[in-house]
Amino acid sequence: DQQVKQNSPSLSVQEGRISILNCDYTNSMFDYFLWYKKYPAEGPTFLISISSIKDKNEDGRFTVFLNKSAKHLSLHIVPSQPGDSAVYFCAASEGQAGTALIFGKGTTLSVSS
Amino acid sequence: DGGITQSPKYLFRKEGQNVTLSCEQNLNHDAMYWYRQDPGQGLRLIYYSQIVNDFQKGDIAEGYSVSREKKESFPLTVTSAQKNPTAFYLCASRLGGTIEAFFGQGTRLTVV
């Protein structure tokens, strides 16, 4: 059974608008959450993370929100740019390095100009 | 430059042959991981290693084997027992006490 779920396979947004990517998890032991961006035939690159002691983390145009009671997190990209078009993966882990990072299936974001 | 290197980028093998994918990192990271990506499946964990000479199975370890004889190296062998070996394989590493994992550029394995 999937422990990390990204239920929207794709999202289309106009340039300048907000992109909201969603992620749900089932394992209440997860305490670190990450977002990665991936282009075809390349490795994922880290975007932003959040620990379970916070409910928001912001880095430039990227903000991640965590709702522990709902086991839900979201990535907001404002404003969206055509270069943001990629596959976005949500990942979670119990604890820090050494434990496994569990990924969702990804959401393909398309930003049109 | 520090980083994580996977080689080769493209690999072709005949069905029934074992093949080993290389993953090397010079970041002095403790943990290393192997993932497989298939269309619509996201990244699925094959094996991971927290320290030298120790590793754990992930969700889809059947048909794969690994070794961790050196901190900087974590090769993955795709054996003939793996039913659907054609996929994009990704290696990652993570420093102890941190959250972020760094990924290599991947190896596209095609079995014909």
Side-chain angles (χ1 to χ4, degrees):
Chain A
D1 192 27
Q2 272 191 283
Q3 298 186 70
V4 178
K5 301 178 184 180
Q6 294 177 258
N7 293 319
S8 298
S10 61
L11 175 67
S12 294
V13 171
Q14 283 192 321
E15 182 178 8
R17 307 293 291 268
I18 184 171
S19 295
I20 300 176
L21 297 98
N22 294 303
C23 178
D24 298 293
Y25 61 96
T26 58
N27 186 345
S28 59
M29 298 300 291
F30 286 148
D31 52 4
Y32 291 97
F33 304 90
L34 304 86
W35 284 95
Y36 280 83
K37 177 181 180 180
K38 186 182 182 300
Y39 295 114
E42 292 185 8
T45 55
F46 171 76
L47 275 177
I48 191 169
S49 65
I50 190 168
S51 74
S52 59
I53 62 173
K54 295 185 176 182
D55 55 17
K56 177 182 175 181
N57 189 26
E58 193 171 354
D59 184 1
R61 296 186 298 116
F62 302 93
T63 302
V64 57
F65 295 92
L66 175 62
N67 182 333
K68 290 187 292 294
S69 60
K71 294 191 178 66
H72 176 84
L73 63 155
S74 60
L75 174 68
H76 293 212
I77 305 173
V78 183
S80 300
Q81 300 172 354
D84 295 330
S85 298
V87 179
Y88 288 79
F89 289 100
C90 171
S93 73
E94 294 180 42
Q96 295 177 343
T99 59
L101 264 182
I102 306 300
F103 283 80
K105 292 188 176 183
T107 296
T108 300
L109 174 64
S110 299
V111 180
S112 57
S113 54
Chain B
D1 281 2
I4 181 164
T5 302
Q6 291 186 244
S7 61
K9 189 166 179 65
Y10 299 96
L11 192 55
F12 295 87
R13 279 294 181 269
K14 291 184 178 179
E15 192 173 345
Q17 289 183 333
N18 291 356
V19 59
T20 297
L21 281 61
S22 169
C23 179
E24 304 278 333
Q25 54 96 2
N26 60 4
L27 301 166
N28 200 32
H29 285 180
D30 305 287
M32 296 187 74
Y33 309 81
W34 274 106
Y35 291 89
R36 168 181 172 145
Q37 185 186 16
D38 297 281
Q41 292 295 319
L43 304 181
R44 293 185 291 170
L45 182 65
I46 304 172
Y47 269 98
Y48 66 103
S49 168
Q50 300 179 39
I51 57 173
V52 173
N53 293 323
D54 187 49
F55 46 82
Q56 288 77 41
K57 292 182 179 180
D59 298 324
I60 55 167
E62 185 175 352
Y64 299 98
S65 66
V66 293
S67 63
R68 187 88 188 275
E69 298 177 1
K70 299 185 295 182
K71 187 176 185 178
E72 59 269 24
S73 179
F74 191 41
L76 174 74
T77 297
V78 184
T79 75
S80 56
Q82 168 50 232
K83 300 302 180 189
N84 297 295
T86 294
F88 188 55
Y89 291 87
L90 286 158
C91 180
S93 68
R94 195 157 64 152
L95 182 64
T98 66
I99 305 168
E100 176 188 352
F102 293 83
F103 280 83
Q105 289 301 295
T107 293
R108 168 72 61 183
L109 172 65
T110 302
V111 175
V112 296

